[in-house]
Amino acid sequence: FSFMEELGYDQCEMFRKGRFRPATFWKSAKCELSDPPVHRDRTLLTSFKLKGDWGKDEMDERRWYVLNCHLQAGKQAKRRLRQIHDGVGAAVKLAKR
């Protein structure tokens, strides 16, 4: 994903190397990670908060979450459901901190 860095984006990607892996990109001039990324089964959860002039409004002090998923293909519907369930559950848990 080095081409995204050339365009001025920061990144976080799954720790496992492979052809398909979730990744999140953002402009560090506008926002920053508010918590360390959370890795699950083919999912990557990142949380952000605005910074600088972008975060002056009190509504902008809230965090938001991005859940990137590479769902399991084939006849593994239960695994796909678990991947989404675990990822959303991790976001809810992180938001309650």
Side-chain angles (χ1 to χ4, degrees):
F1 298 115
S2 60
F3 69 96
M4 292 297 286
E5 288 181 32
E6 293 172 11
L7 296 173
Y9 288 90
D10 290 308
Q11 68 177 7
C12 178
E13 63 185 271
M14 286 287 293
F15 58 91
R16 292 187 186 109
K17 299 296 179 191
R19 186 170 160 211
F20 301 107
R21 60 191 178 278
T24 303
F25 301 91
W26 66 93
K27 292 274 189 169
S28 61
K30 296 180 181 181
C31 61
E32 62 189 354
L33 288 172
S34 60
D35 292 288
V38 177
H39 302 271
R40 298 274 190 254
D41 180 16
R42 292 183 168 200
T43 64
L44 172 64
L45 173 64
T46 47
S47 61
F48 295 94
K49 61 182 177 181
L50 294 176
K51 68 180 200 179
D53 291 339
W54 299 94
K56 285 187 176 178
D57 186 312
E58 70 180 53
M59 290 297 287
D60 292 336
E61 292 181 18
R62 296 181 295 174
R63 295 183 293 172
W64 75 93
Y65 305 87
V66 176
L67 179 62
N68 285 309
C69 306
H70 179 164
L71 299 177
Q72 179 65 39
K75 297 180 180 183
Q76 297 185 21
K78 289 181 180 180
R79 183 175 178 193
R80 284 191 295 276
L81 181 60
R82 182 185 48 77
Q83 287 173 296
I84 296 295
H85 184 267
D86 290 351
V88 171
V92 169
K93 185 177 179 179
L94 193 57
K96 288 182 178 180
R97 284 205 237 157

XYZ file of all heavy atoms in Angstrom:
806
model
N 0.803 -1.207 0.000
C 0.000 0.000 0.000
C 0.844 1.269 0.000
O 0.378 2.331 0.397
C -0.942 0.010 1.191
C -1.930 -1.128 1.195
C -1.896 -2.095 2.184
C -2.891 -1.229 0.210
C -2.809 -3.137 2.195
C -3.803 -2.260 0.216
C -3.763 -3.218 1.211
N 2.076 1.181 -0.430
C 2.959 2.348 -0.410
C 2.433 3.480 -1.290
O 2.708 4.649 -1.020
C 4.370 1.960 -0.824
O 4.371 1.433 -2.133
N 1.642 3.154 -2.308
C 1.094 4.202 -3.175
C 0.175 5.141 -2.394
O 0.073 6.326 -2.721
C 0.355 3.599 -4.374
C -0.932 2.902 -4.014
C -2.133 3.565 -4.114
C -0.924 1.579 -3.590
C -3.328 2.921 -3.788
C -2.101 0.928 -3.266
C -3.308 1.606 -3.367
N -0.475 4.646 -1.346
C -1.346 5.501 -0.534
C -0.515 6.485 0.297
O -0.929 7.619 0.509
C -2.245 4.660 0.367
C -3.289 3.868 -0.393
S -4.463 4.886 -1.300
C -5.477 5.505 0.019
N 0.639 6.040 0.774
C 1.531 6.946 1.497
C 1.981 8.079 0.579
O 2.084 9.225 1.020
C 2.731 6.188 2.048
C 2.394 5.288 3.210
C 3.619 4.571 3.757
O 4.723 5.145 3.701
O 3.451 3.438 4.222
N 2.247 7.768 -0.668
C 2.645 8.793 -1.635
C 1.533 9.827 -1.843
O 1.810 10.974 -2.186
C 3.011 8.141 -2.967
C 4.252 7.277 -2.903
C 4.490 6.478 -4.178
O 3.817 6.747 -5.196
O 5.344 5.582 -4.140
N 0.287 9.428 -1.596
C -0.846 10.346 -1.720
C -1.130 11.090 -0.424
O -2.094 11.846 -0.340
C -2.091 9.566 -2.164
C -2.012 8.931 -3.550
C -3.224 8.047 -3.800
C -1.898 10.012 -4.616
N -0.312 10.845 0.614
C -0.444 11.573 1.876
C -1.306 10.917 2.929
O -1.728 11.561 3.874
N -1.553 9.620 2.799
C -2.378 8.909 3.769
C -1.507 8.104 4.728
O -0.467 7.567 4.350
C -3.342 7.944 3.067
C -4.464 8.637 2.355
C -4.337 9.027 1.030
C -5.657 8.909 3.013
C -5.362 9.672 0.372
C -6.692 9.547 2.359
C -6.539 9.930 1.042
O -7.558 10.573 0.394
N -1.968 8.017 5.980
C -1.396 7.073 6.934
C -2.179 5.783 6.790
O -3.275 5.769 6.221
C -1.514 7.609 8.363
C -0.593 8.793 8.582
O 0.594 8.670 8.290
O -1.092 9.838 9.031
N -1.641 4.693 7.361
C -2.325 3.421 7.173
C -2.151 2.495 8.354
O -1.231 2.628 9.151
C -1.807 2.717 5.926
C -0.375 2.237 6.061
C 0.077 1.481 4.831
O -0.620 1.420 3.839
N 1.249 0.895 4.887
N -3.058 1.556 8.428
C -2.964 0.428 9.338
C -3.494 -0.751 8.556
O -4.525 -0.659 7.898
C -3.815 0.669 10.578
S -3.762 -0.723 11.702
N -2.767 -1.857 8.596
C -3.231 -3.046 7.895
C -3.086 -4.259 8.795
O -2.416 -4.208 9.810
C -2.476 -3.250 6.584
C -0.994 -3.485 6.757
C -0.286 -3.571 5.426
O -0.203 -4.677 4.880
O 0.175 -2.530 4.949
N -3.765 -5.329 8.411
C -3.678 -6.564 9.190
C -2.228 -6.970 9.332
O -1.427 -6.771 8.426
C -4.435 -7.690 8.492
C -5.940 -7.576 8.572
S -6.620 -7.952 10.189
C -6.257 -9.678 10.330
N -1.906 -7.552 10.464
C -0.531 -7.965 10.728
C -0.112 -9.151 9.886
O 1.060 -9.370 9.678
C -0.339 -8.267 12.210
C -1.262 -9.336 12.740
C -0.878 -10.659 12.743
C -2.505 -9.005 13.247
C -1.720 -11.643 13.226
C -3.355 -9.985 13.748
C -2.956 -11.300 13.741
N -1.049 -9.926 9.400
C -0.708 -11.070 8.552
C -0.515 -10.588 7.130
O -1.286 -9.783 6.620
C -1.822 -12.110 8.585
C -1.949 -12.765 9.929
C -2.954 -13.898 9.855
N -3.164 -14.427 11.172
C -4.267 -14.274 11.880
N -5.287 -13.615 11.381
N -4.366 -14.779 13.085
N 0.482 -11.098 6.491
C 0.720 -10.736 5.108
C 0.016 -11.734 4.202
O 0.081 -12.933 4.408
C 2.222 -10.722 4.790
C 2.990 -9.731 5.629
C 2.543 -8.315 5.341
C 3.291 -7.338 6.210
N 2.738 -6.013 6.150
N -0.655 -11.244 3.223
C -1.361 -12.098 2.292
C -1.887 -11.248 1.157
O -1.799 -10.022 1.174
N -2.440 -11.897 0.208
C -2.928 -11.182 -0.962
C -4.100 -10.275 -0.618
O -4.200 -9.155 -1.089
C -3.331 -12.200 -2.027
C -3.713 -11.568 -3.315
C -3.858 -12.608 -4.409
N -4.664 -12.044 -5.472
C -5.450 -12.734 -6.241
N -5.537 -14.035 -6.092
N -6.147 -12.153 -7.176
N -5.016 -10.766 0.198
C -6.178 -9.986 0.615
C -6.099 -9.765 2.111
O -6.078 -10.728 2.874
C -7.480 -10.724 0.271
C -7.634 -11.002 -1.193
C -7.490 -12.280 -1.690
C -7.907 -9.966 -2.066
C -7.635 -12.536 -3.043
C -8.051 -10.209 -3.424
C -7.915 -11.501 -3.919
N -6.060 -8.522 2.526
C -6.054 -8.218 3.960
C -6.698 -6.853 4.173
O -6.507 -5.940 3.378
C -4.649 -8.259 4.526
C -3.687 -7.291 3.904
C -2.251 -7.588 4.350
N -1.308 -6.706 3.732
C -0.795 -6.846 2.515
N -1.164 -7.863 1.786
N 0.062 -5.987 2.036
N -7.472 -6.711 5.226
C -8.099 -5.425 5.509
C -7.051 -4.357 5.804
O -6.021 -4.621 6.414
C -8.949 -5.705 6.743
C -9.160 -7.179 6.746
C -7.912 -7.751 6.145
N -7.350 -3.139 5.383
C -6.486 -1.996 5.651
C -7.360 -0.754 5.797
O -8.428 -0.669 5.199
C -5.471 -1.798 4.538
N -6.899 0.191 6.596
C -7.593 1.462 6.790
C -6.610 2.580 6.493
O -5.455 2.516 6.904
C -8.109 1.588 8.238
O -8.968 0.486 8.522
C -8.865 2.882 8.445
N -7.082 3.611 5.815
C -6.244 4.759 5.456
C -6.906 6.037 5.950
O -8.133 6.142 5.931
C -6.069 4.830 3.935
C -5.452 3.607 3.350
C -6.240 2.563 2.899
C -4.076 3.482 3.272
C -5.675 1.420 2.368
C -3.501 2.337 2.742
C -4.299 1.307 2.288
N -6.099 7.014 6.387
C -6.626 8.284 6.859
C -5.578 9.377 6.681
O -4.403 9.101 6.510
C -7.059 8.191 8.318
C -5.925 7.959 9.271
C -5.220 8.918 9.944
C -5.343 6.712 9.638
N -4.247 8.340 10.707
C -4.294 6.972 10.541
C -5.604 5.384 9.298
C -3.514 5.975 11.091
C -4.820 4.396 9.857
C -3.802 4.694 10.747
N -6.041 10.608 6.721
C -5.155 11.773 6.644
C -4.828 12.202 8.070
O -5.710 12.626 8.821
C -5.835 12.924 5.907
C -6.056 12.687 4.441
C -4.825 13.072 3.680
C -5.113 13.042 2.181
N -4.059 13.629 1.419
N -3.559 12.106 8.447
C -3.168 12.429 9.819
C -3.288 13.921 10.119
O -3.296 14.311 11.274
C -1.751 11.939 10.105
O -0.835 12.561 9.233
N -3.407 14.753 9.111
C -3.619 16.180 9.346
C -5.022 16.440 9.904
O -5.244 17.455 10.570
C -3.424 16.966 8.060
N -5.945 15.518 9.668
C -7.337 15.712 10.083
C -7.756 14.851 11.268
O -8.611 15.247 12.051
C -8.278 15.442 8.917
C -8.092 16.407 7.776
C -9.045 16.111 6.654
C -8.825 17.088 5.511
N -9.733 16.854 4.402
N -7.198 13.655 11.380
C -7.615 12.758 12.457
C -6.446 11.877 12.877
O -5.429 11.797 12.206
C -8.807 11.912 12.036
S -8.503 10.840 10.631
N -6.644 11.214 14.018
C -5.611 10.327 14.550
C -6.273 9.130 15.201
O -7.441 9.186 15.590
C -4.735 11.059 15.562
C -5.487 11.562 16.778
C -4.645 12.466 17.660
O -3.454 12.618 17.395
O -5.214 13.015 18.608
N -5.512 8.052 15.308
C -6.017 6.868 16.015
C -6.255 7.233 17.471
O -5.417 7.868 18.097
C -5.016 5.724 15.928
C -4.863 5.039 14.573
C -3.692 4.066 14.599
C -6.137 4.315 14.196
N -7.395 6.829 18.003
C -7.673 7.090 19.420
C -7.383 5.879 20.290
O -7.299 6.006 21.504
C -9.120 7.547 19.603
O -10.014 6.563 19.157
N -7.235 4.720 19.688
C -6.902 3.474 20.394
C -6.059 2.620 19.455
O -6.124 2.799 18.236
C -8.174 2.699 20.757
C -8.996 3.423 21.803
O -8.557 3.454 22.963
O -10.063 3.952 21.444
N -5.313 1.678 19.998
C -4.570 0.762 19.113
C -5.540 -0.062 18.257
O -6.639 -0.392 18.707
C -3.814 -0.147 20.086
C -3.786 0.583 21.374
C -5.026 1.428 21.408
N -5.169 -0.379 17.032
C -6.018 -1.213 16.173
C -6.274 -2.584 16.807
O -5.434 -3.111 17.537
C -5.200 -1.361 14.887
C -4.260 -0.214 14.899
C -3.954 0.052 16.342
N -7.442 -3.132 16.527
C -7.831 -4.447 17.050
C -7.920 -5.411 15.870
O -8.657 -5.157 14.908
C -9.191 -4.369 17.782
C -9.620 -5.748 18.255
C -9.116 -3.387 18.947
N -7.185 -6.512 15.939
C -7.183 -7.530 14.898
C -7.997 -8.733 15.371
O -7.826 -9.193 16.492
C -5.750 -8.003 14.614
C -4.830 -6.905 14.193
N -4.669 -6.545 12.884
C -4.036 -6.074 14.914
C -3.805 -5.554 12.808
N -3.406 -5.250 14.025
N -8.864 -9.210 14.523
C -9.622 -10.431 14.780
C -9.501 -11.313 13.537
O -8.684 -11.071 12.679
C -11.091 -10.106 15.055
C -11.345 -9.244 16.278
C -11.449 -10.106 17.521
N -11.924 -9.330 18.650
C -11.149 -8.940 19.652
N -9.879 -9.236 19.665
N -11.651 -8.259 20.656
N -10.371 -12.298 13.424
C -10.373 -13.217 12.291
C -10.726 -12.459 11.008
O -11.892 -12.209 10.722
C -11.384 -14.335 12.552
C -11.464 -15.338 11.429
O -10.551 -15.375 10.576
O -12.455 -16.099 11.395
N -9.710 -12.056 10.252
C -9.865 -11.338 8.992
C -10.586 -10.005 9.137
O -11.210 -9.505 8.198
C -10.590 -12.187 7.959
C -9.795 -13.374 7.478
C -10.577 -14.097 6.420
N -9.736 -15.075 5.747
C -10.011 -15.562 4.563
N -11.079 -15.186 3.907
N -9.212 -16.448 4.015
N -10.555 -9.411 10.317
C -11.146 -8.092 10.515
C -10.125 -7.167 11.163
O -9.231 -7.603 11.879
C -12.406 -8.133 11.398
O -12.065 -8.570 12.711
C -13.471 -9.034 10.804
N -10.278 -5.895 10.889
C -9.410 -4.859 11.440
C -10.300 -3.720 11.916
O -11.044 -3.133 11.134
C -8.436 -4.361 10.373
C -7.579 -3.153 10.731
C -6.638 -3.477 11.888
C -6.787 -2.689 9.518
N -10.252 -3.420 13.213
C -11.049 -2.356 13.811
C -10.120 -1.209 14.186
O -9.134 -1.408 14.899
C -11.775 -2.871 15.059
C -12.511 -1.828 15.888
C -13.654 -1.202 15.093
C -13.025 -2.459 17.180
N -10.431 -0.013 13.697
C -9.668 1.181 14.050
C -10.639 2.227 14.581
O -11.788 2.311 14.137
C -8.905 1.748 12.833
O -9.782 1.809 11.718
C -7.701 0.896 12.484
N -10.182 3.002 15.563
C -11.003 4.088 16.111
C -10.244 5.394 15.947
O -9.019 5.441 16.093
C -11.337 3.820 17.576
O -10.166 3.741 18.343
N -10.994 6.452 15.656
C -10.396 7.743 15.331
C -11.043 8.874 16.113
O -12.181 8.764 16.557
C -10.588 8.052 13.835
C -9.875 7.103 12.936
C -10.511 5.994 12.429
C -8.554 7.314 12.591
C -9.862 5.107 11.595
C -7.887 6.430 11.751
C -8.544 5.334 11.260
N -10.285 9.970 16.218
C -10.825 11.234 16.716
C -10.222 12.342 15.860
O -9.106 12.201 15.329
C -10.502 11.435 18.193
C -9.033 11.484 18.514
C -8.823 11.625 20.001
C -7.320 11.598 20.320
N -7.073 11.719 21.739
N -10.989 13.417 15.706
C -10.505 14.551 14.929
C -9.459 15.304 15.733
O -9.451 15.262 16.961
C -11.667 15.476 14.578
C -12.710 14.889 13.636
C -13.854 15.867 13.443
C -12.095 14.527 12.302
N -8.595 16.038 15.048
C -7.571 16.806 15.751
C -7.412 18.179 15.116
O -7.896 18.406 14.002
C -6.247 16.060 15.783
C -5.554 15.902 14.465
C -4.257 15.133 14.671
C -3.298 15.347 13.524
N -2.051 14.645 13.718
N -6.728 19.064 15.826
C -6.493 20.405 15.313
C -7.779 21.187 15.158
O -8.721 21.042 15.940
N -7.855 22.010 14.142
C -9.043 22.826 13.892
C -10.269 21.981 13.584
O -11.394 22.434 13.729
C -8.793 23.789 12.724
C -7.787 24.870 13.082
O -7.599 25.129 14.288
O -7.184 25.440 12.161
N -10.037 20.748 13.160
C -11.152 19.863 12.815
C -11.922 19.413 14.045
O -13.066 19.027 13.943
C -10.636 18.640 12.071
C -9.966 18.984 10.792
C -8.632 19.181 10.598
C -10.577 19.219 9.538
N -8.372 19.512 9.301
C -9.550 19.543 8.625
C -11.887 19.180 9.090
C -9.814 19.830 7.288
C -12.138 19.450 7.765
C -11.116 19.774 6.887
N -11.302 19.455 15.240
C -11.945 18.940 16.447
C -12.395 20.009 17.413
O -12.589 19.737 18.592
N -12.590 21.250 16.963
C -12.952 22.344 17.871
C -14.377 22.239 18.385
O -14.655 22.595 19.513
C -12.734 23.695 17.188
C -11.281 24.069 17.098
C -11.127 25.470 16.569
C -9.654 25.845 16.598
N -9.432 27.189 16.055
N -15.284 21.812 17.566
C -16.677 21.667 17.965
C -16.789 20.501 18.941
O -16.174 19.462 18.750
C -17.522 21.396 16.717
C -19.007 21.376 16.997
O -19.430 20.703 17.960
O -19.740 22.028 16.248
N -17.594 20.654 20.002
C -17.687 19.571 20.994
C -18.238 18.281 20.400
O -17.926 17.197 20.870
C -18.507 19.996 22.206
C -19.990 20.163 21.948
C -20.750 20.591 23.171
O -20.364 21.585 23.783
O -21.721 19.901 23.517
N -19.048 18.376 19.353
C -19.540 17.161 18.700
C -18.391 16.400 18.041
O -18.440 15.195 17.887
C -20.591 17.510 17.641
C -21.897 18.014 18.220
S -22.714 16.770 19.225
C -23.289 15.678 17.946
N -17.343 17.119 17.638
C -16.222 16.491 16.961
C -15.263 15.795 17.913
O -14.303 15.191 17.485
C -15.450 17.528 16.133
C -16.266 18.019 14.951
O -17.159 17.280 14.516
O -16.002 19.132 14.481
N -15.504 15.883 19.227
C -14.643 15.204 20.189
C -14.995 13.727 20.310
O -14.291 12.970 20.959
C -14.726 15.895 21.547
C -14.108 17.285 21.519
C -14.153 17.972 22.861
O -14.335 17.278 23.886
O -14.010 19.186 22.890
N -16.085 13.326 19.689
C -16.472 11.911 19.716
C -15.514 11.087 18.857
O -14.913 11.585 17.929
C -17.887 11.734 19.201
C -18.915 12.415 20.077
C -20.285 12.199 19.552
N -20.407 12.855 18.251
C -21.459 12.754 17.467
N -22.478 12.027 17.821
N -21.498 13.372 16.304
N -15.417 9.820 19.195
C -14.628 8.895 18.382
C -15.554 8.214 17.385
O -16.748 8.104 17.608
C -13.982 7.837 19.267
C -12.958 8.408 20.221
C -12.293 7.346 21.016
N -13.270 6.719 21.921
C -13.021 5.648 22.644
N -11.851 5.066 22.606
N -13.942 5.142 23.427
N -14.995 7.749 16.289
C -15.743 6.916 15.372
C -14.890 5.709 15.015
O -13.681 5.714 15.172
C -16.247 7.701 14.162
C -15.239 8.052 13.134
C -14.929 7.348 12.025
C -14.379 9.195 13.116
N -13.940 7.984 11.316
C -13.588 9.109 11.966
C -14.203 10.287 13.972
C -12.632 10.071 11.647
C -13.249 11.238 13.651
C -12.490 11.124 12.499
N -15.558 4.674 14.531
C -14.934 3.372 14.358
C -15.086 2.894 12.919
O -16.121 3.086 12.302
C -15.571 2.355 15.312
C -15.496 2.832 16.735
C -16.480 3.651 17.280
C -14.404 2.511 17.521
C -16.385 4.126 18.567
C -14.304 2.979 18.824
C -15.293 3.791 19.320
O -15.182 4.277 20.605
N -14.030 2.262 12.426
C -14.048 1.670 11.089
C -13.727 0.185 11.251
O -12.686 -0.166 11.805
C -13.004 2.342 10.174
C -12.965 1.656 8.816
C -13.290 3.832 10.038
N -14.623 -0.662 10.777
C -14.413 -2.107 10.826
C -14.268 -2.608 9.395
O -15.219 -2.585 8.621
C -15.592 -2.805 11.509
C -15.504 -4.325 11.602
C -14.306 -4.754 12.442
C -16.799 -4.891 12.153
N -13.062 -3.000 9.036
C -12.786 -3.570 7.720
C -12.779 -5.088 7.842
O -12.141 -5.626 8.749
C -11.429 -3.096 7.195
C -11.479 -1.669 6.733
O -12.344 -1.307 5.961
N -10.566 -0.870 7.215
N -13.466 -5.737 6.928
C -13.583 -7.195 6.988
C -13.265 -7.818 5.633
O -13.634 -7.290 4.599
C -15.011 -7.606 7.344
S -15.659 -6.860 8.818
N -12.587 -8.940 5.686
C -12.437 -9.805 4.515
C -13.130 -11.097 4.908
O -12.540 -11.962 5.544
C -10.966 -10.040 4.195
C -10.785 -10.953 3.019
N -9.607 -11.055 2.346
C -11.633 -11.790 2.384
C -9.731 -11.929 1.371
N -10.953 -12.390 1.382
N -14.400 -11.196 4.561
C -15.207 -12.325 5.010
C -14.805 -13.610 4.310
O -14.425 -13.605 3.132
C -16.684 -12.037 4.771
C -17.227 -10.829 5.522
C -18.684 -10.607 5.149
C -17.068 -10.982 7.019
N -14.913 -14.702 5.041
C -14.596 -16.019 4.515
C -15.553 -16.377 3.384
O -16.762 -16.196 3.513
C -14.698 -17.064 5.635
C -14.405 -18.465 5.205
C -12.965 -18.639 4.754
O -12.066 -18.072 5.336
N -12.760 -19.412 3.705
N -15.015 -16.847 2.291
C -15.838 -17.223 1.135
C -16.326 -18.664 1.268
O -15.939 -19.389 2.175
C -15.019 -17.074 -0.145
N -17.156 -19.056 0.347
C -17.596 -20.450 0.279
C -18.780 -20.743 1.164
O -19.597 -19.882 1.459
N -18.834 -21.986 1.608
C -19.992 -22.478 2.356
C -19.845 -22.273 3.865
O -20.464 -22.990 4.637
C -20.204 -23.954 2.055
C -20.530 -24.220 0.602
C -20.743 -25.693 0.344
C -21.063 -25.926 -1.112
N -21.351 -27.340 -1.397
N -19.058 -21.303 4.271
C -18.814 -21.099 5.700
C -19.621 -19.910 6.224
O -19.078 -18.952 6.789
C -17.331 -20.907 5.950
C -16.513 -22.126 5.574
C -15.063 -21.975 5.946
O -14.699 -21.182 6.795
N -14.214 -22.752 5.310
N -20.921 -19.977 6.061
C -21.800 -18.877 6.478
C -21.679 -18.597 7.972
O -21.692 -17.436 8.387
C -23.246 -19.205 6.119
N -21.537 -19.633 8.786
C -21.416 -19.421 10.233
C -20.153 -18.632 10.573
O -20.158 -17.785 11.459
C -21.427 -20.755 10.980
C -22.767 -21.426 10.984
C -22.735 -22.725 11.767
C -24.097 -23.387 11.750
N -24.115 -24.642 12.504
N -19.091 -18.916 9.866
C -17.850 -18.180 10.117
C -18.002 -16.716 9.713
O -17.539 -15.823 10.415
C -16.680 -18.813 9.375
C -15.365 -18.104 9.677
C -14.182 -18.786 9.060
N -12.952 -18.055 9.340
C -11.803 -18.287 8.715
N -11.723 -19.241 7.810
N -10.747 -17.582 9.010
N -18.645 -16.457 8.577
C -18.869 -15.069 8.151
C -19.687 -14.313 9.181
O -19.376 -13.176 9.530
C -19.572 -15.025 6.789
C -18.663 -15.346 5.632
C -19.338 -15.035 4.317
N -20.514 -15.862 4.053
C -20.471 -17.077 3.523
N -19.319 -17.627 3.216
N -21.577 -17.743 3.302
N -20.725 -14.938 9.684
C -21.558 -14.306 10.706
C -20.742 -14.038 11.966
O -20.831 -12.959 12.566
C -22.768 -15.188 11.024
C -23.732 -14.640 12.062
C -24.311 -13.305 11.605
C -24.841 -15.637 12.333
N -19.913 -14.991 12.353
C -19.077 -14.805 13.546
C -18.067 -13.683 13.336
O -17.806 -12.893 14.235
C -18.346 -16.099 13.907
C -17.502 -15.963 15.176
C -16.679 -17.205 15.480
N -15.946 -17.736 14.358
C -14.803 -17.223 13.876
N -14.281 -16.136 14.412
N -14.190 -17.793 12.854
N -17.499 -13.590 12.131
C -16.538 -12.530 11.848
C -17.185 -11.156 12.071
O -16.602 -10.278 12.712
C -16.021 -12.632 10.410
C -15.065 -13.779 10.186
C -14.722 -13.942 8.723
O -15.576 -14.239 7.889
N -13.456 -13.728 8.404
N -18.379 -10.957 11.532
C -19.085 -9.684 11.699
C -19.473 -9.478 13.162
O -19.274 -8.398 13.733
C -20.339 -9.626 10.792
C -19.938 -9.653 9.326
C -21.183 -8.403 11.118
C -19.155 -8.436 8.879
N -20.021 -10.502 13.784
C -20.450 -10.408 15.181
C -19.273 -10.041 16.093
O -19.383 -9.156 16.942
C -21.083 -11.735 15.620
C -21.635 -11.696 16.988
N -20.916 -12.081 18.094
C -22.852 -11.303 17.439
C -21.654 -11.931 19.175
N -22.839 -11.465 18.807
N -18.151 -10.701 15.930
C -16.974 -10.415 16.763
C -16.441 -9.001 16.510
O -16.049 -8.298 17.439
C -15.860 -11.426 16.507
C -16.181 -12.810 17.039
O -17.194 -12.957 17.764
O -15.413 -13.747 16.732
N -16.434 -8.578 15.249
C -15.936 -7.240 14.923
C -16.809 -6.140 15.497
O -16.311 -5.179 16.094
N -18.119 -6.277 15.349
C -19.037 -5.278 15.900
C -18.989 -5.306 17.429
O -18.981 -4.260 18.080
C -20.480 -5.511 15.382
C -21.468 -4.616 16.107
C -20.546 -5.269 13.875
N -18.887 -6.497 18.001
C -18.758 -6.610 19.453
C -17.493 -5.920 19.967
O -17.526 -5.264 21.017
N -16.400 -6.037 19.243
C -15.166 -5.368 19.637
C -15.321 -3.853 19.574
O -14.817 -3.125 20.435
C -14.011 -5.825 18.729
N -16.050 -3.346 18.571
C -16.290 -1.905 18.470
C -17.133 -1.404 19.641
O -16.841 -0.361 20.234
C -16.981 -1.577 17.148
N -18.161 -2.156 20.000
C -19.015 -1.769 21.138
C -18.199 -1.771 22.427
O -18.276 -0.836 23.228
C -20.238 -2.718 21.250
C -20.974 -2.501 22.551
C -21.153 -2.526 20.053
N -17.398 -2.800 22.618
C -16.559 -2.893 23.816
C -15.571 -1.718 23.890
O -15.376 -1.116 24.948
C -15.811 -4.224 23.806
C -15.003 -4.495 25.042
C -14.363 -5.883 24.948
C -13.518 -6.173 26.164
N -12.915 -7.508 26.082
N -14.968 -1.378 22.782
C -14.009 -0.284 22.728
C -14.708 1.054 23.009
O -14.169 1.916 23.708
C -13.343 -0.260 21.365
C -12.103 0.600 21.185
C -11.006 0.204 22.177
C -11.581 0.476 19.763
N -15.925 1.220 22.506
C -16.660 2.466 22.705
C -17.072 2.671 24.164
O -17.228 3.801 24.609
C -17.900 2.478 21.812
N -17.224 1.576 24.899
C -17.643 1.684 26.309
C -16.502 2.064 27.238
O -16.744 2.359 28.393
C -18.271 0.370 26.758
C -19.619 0.136 26.147
C -20.238 -1.147 26.656
C -21.620 -1.350 26.073
N -22.238 -2.585 26.559
N -15.278 2.039 26.732
C -14.128 2.397 27.594
C -14.120 3.864 27.902
O -14.503 4.708 27.234
C -12.808 2.064 26.915
C -12.504 0.616 26.936
C -11.036 0.422 26.829
N -10.704 -0.414 25.693
C -9.534 -0.396 25.103
N -8.610 0.440 25.454
N -9.266 -1.214 24.140
